[in-house]
Amino acid sequence: MLKNSAIWSIALILSLLSGLSSLGAITKNKAPEIAMSIWPLNGFSSKSVAANLVKSRIAKNGGKFSNSASPSAATFAIRAFESEPLTPEAIAVIALTKDGDAQRGLMEQAFALSRREELVTGWLIMDSGSKDSIPSILRYYDTVLRTNSAADSLVVPLMVQALENDNFIGPLSIFLSKTPPWAGSFWRRVVAAPDSVDNAAELRKATFNLGETLVAKKRDSELIGALVRRYEFETAEELYGLLKPSKKSQEVIRNSEFTSEPDYPPLNWQLISNGEYGASIGASSLNLSAAPSSGGTFARQIVRLPKKTMELRVGMAEKVPADVTLYLEISCAANIKNKPNALKIELRDATTTQKISNEKSNCEYYWLSVIGRSREGGNGFDVMIDQISLSPV
């Protein structure tokens, strides 16, 4: 069963209908009597009265469609249909006087005439939800988003919420693989929805495998960052491997020689800068700069340490100035008990090597951070690191 599908449908209907200026007036106690007394009415006026009577009933019923239209609404709908037989709202109201397949058939005919009638689309969404028909729900959501510019702030969050349900991944990937106009809004919102992030990663992998390559790199980076914040390191790595395949599958530190601009941090270098210190990558080096008496974490990335002894190697253009403290920190990134103590390796000479072992640790994923500071009263510094690598011994 679809989790909360009825709630999504009701919320959609209410929000779309509540924006109609006529709804407030038609829900007043005497509005139906006033409407019935208006004469003469042409077909379009009749369908408006019929539709507003139905919308009034929906609003009073907490957003739920009644099983049938009121006699007065049906009268106006029939009058409108006789005058203007291709009026979708009139057909929709008449449909509410029917049952079963006849009712749905008329609603689908009304939808075929116009995809801009919220009354019709709302009923079809509700009906699809009651039948657990995910492709149909998404089809109508897609229609609403394409035809109603105000629907984005309502419908996209509902789709993000729907992604909490595993069953939505496959059908939604088919829509997104075609890069609909609402795709950017969807990805922007889903990375900020903690309960949907795991399935969002599976969805992104599915759309990628379907050939969709137009999702902004920024959104993919945000998704990887969201997975890391949830300690879903393996899933983040799988996604990274799809987005940036590499022949260097055995490398522990990505971009260890700083030959390219980093992307998808923190699985590649996450560079940190503010007004007093910062890091950049250029000319095949990690460039660190700091003003006097300033510093902090300049760069970091998530690394997966194998259960073996490794040799760490750091190469720099020249020795670190005497008034500068610079070191690497390797600290467990996982959300586990009894984390191993962080390892700090001071960088002083142009080349630093040290053996490290993860054989007895219960941690697999670590933060590898470059941390430095210009000492109090110092001159600040500019340091270039040419290489940070970890290799099996």
Side-chain angles (χ1 to χ4, degrees):
M1 297 295 291
L2 299 183
K3 178 184 176 183
N4 293 334
S5 60
I7 295 175
W8 301 330
S9 301
I10 292 168
L12 174 61
I13 295 162
L14 276 176
S15 297
L16 290 175
L17 299 183
S18 64
L20 300 176
S21 59
S22 60
L23 184 58
I26 203 67
T27 55
K28 294 180 181 178
N29 292 334
K30 295 185 179 181
E33 288 78 5
I34 294 173
M36 289 290 290
S37 67
I38 300 175
W39 189 265
L41 290 174
N42 60 32
F44 289 106
S45 298
S46 295
K47 64 95 179 176
S48 295
V49 173
N52 283 338
L53 287 169
V54 171
K55 293 170 185 177
S56 169
R57 200 169 189 177
I58 293 171
K60 291 178 180 179
N61 199 29
K64 298 179 182 178
F65 277 91
S66 300
N67 291 330
S68 60
S70 66
S72 56
T75 297
F76 277 99
I78 292 171
R79 185 181 299 170
F81 181 78
E82 290 172 345
S83 175
E84 303 287 347
L86 298 181
T87 305
E89 283 183 308
I91 296 174
V93 174
I94 293 172
L96 294 176
T97 67
K98 309 295 182 179
D99 297 314
D101 292 341
Q103 185 177 66
R104 183 171 183 83
L106 285 173
M107 283 295 185
E108 289 176 341
Q109 290 181 38
F111 182 77
L113 290 172
S114 174
R115 300 191 174 194
R116 295 181 179 275
E117 297 298 338
E118 291 90 350
L119 182 64
V120 176
T121 309
W123 186 92
L124 289 169
I125 290 172
M126 181 199 69
D127 185 63
S128 298
S130 69
K131 291 179 169 61
D132 286 359
S133 178
I134 296 174
S136 293
I137 293 173
L138 294 176
R139 173 192 173 200
Y140 296 125
Y141 277 175
D142 178 60
T143 297
V144 172
L145 287 165
R146 290 175 184 270
T147 58
N148 188 329
S149 59
D152 181 274
S153 61
L154 166 71
V155 178
V156 172
L158 294 178
M159 297 174 80
V160 170
Q161 180 186 357
L163 192 57
E164 295 176 23
N165 187 321
D166 296 352
N167 295 324
F168 272 81
I169 297 173
L172 188 53
S173 70
I174 295 173
F175 278 88
L176 286 168
S177 68
K178 300 173 183 177
T179 318
W182 45 266
S185 176
F186 175 85
W187 289 114
R188 183 177 66 252
R189 292 175 186 273
V190 79
V191 296
D195 292 337
S196 297
V197 165
D198 290 350
N199 280 349
E202 297 305 313
L203 176 66
R204 182 64 184 103
K205 288 188 282 187
T207 61
F208 187 91
N209 290 331
L210 288 170
E212 202 292 308
T213 59
L214 297 179
V215 174
K217 181 176 288 189
K218 177 181 179 182
R219 302 305 170 206
D220 285 328
S221 180
E222 289 173 348
L223 179 54
I224 286 175
L227 289 167
V228 169
R229 288 192 295 273
R230 287 176 58 83
Y231 310 106
E232 300 287 349
F233 304 115
E234 189 170 349
T235 302
E237 281 191 320
E238 291 173 0
L239 182 56
Y240 182 92
L242 275 180
L243 299 170
K244 190 166 181 165
S246 173
K247 295 179 180 179
K248 300 178 180 180
S249 58
Q250 301 302 315
E251 65 182 1
V252 177
I253 300 176
R254 297 178 177 89
N255 200 11
S256 62
E257 296 181 345
F258 311 106
T259 55
S260 62
E261 287 290 325
D263 50 13
Y264 309 119
L267 294 190
N268 204 317
W269 291 108
Q270 182 178 28
L271 305 178
I272 302 167
S273 296
N274 60 24
E276 296 185 338
Y277 69 92
S280 65
I281 287 180
S284 296
S285 64
L286 175 63
N287 306 304
L288 315 179
S289 297
S293 305
S294 68
T297 299
F298 286 83
R300 65 177 189 167
Q301 72 167 265
I302 291 288
V303 296
R304 185 179 193 175
L305 296 185
K307 298 291 185 180
K308 59 178 63 175
T309 300
M310 310 284 288
E311 181 176 82
L312 173 71
R313 180 181 179 84
V314 181
M316 295 185 288
E318 55 187 18
K319 292 182 64 173
V320 177
D323 61 348
V324 174
T325 299
L326 187 65
Y327 60 94
L328 288 184
E329 181 179 87
I330 302 176
S331 58
C332 181
N335 185 25
I336 59 175
K337 295 180 179 179
N338 302 317
K339 290 184 180 183
N341 294 328
L343 174 64
K344 294 185 178 182
I345 302 169
E346 184 178 11
L347 306 179
R348 180 61 56 192
D349 297 325
T351 300
T352 300
T353 60
Q354 181 169 327
K355 289 183 173 62
I356 63 173
S357 175
N358 195 43
E359 292 177 285
K360 297 181 180 180
S361 171
N362 63 337
C363 187
E364 186 175 13
Y365 289 92
Y366 289 80
W367 284 110
L368 174 70
S369 305
V370 181
I371 302 173
R373 176 167 291 277
S374 174
R375 293 176 186 170
E376 191 73 28
N379 297 317
F381 65 85
D382 293 290
V383 171
M384 298 171 61
I385 300 178
D386 301 321
Q387 178 191 32
I388 304 176
S389 64
L390 273 169
S391 304
V393 174

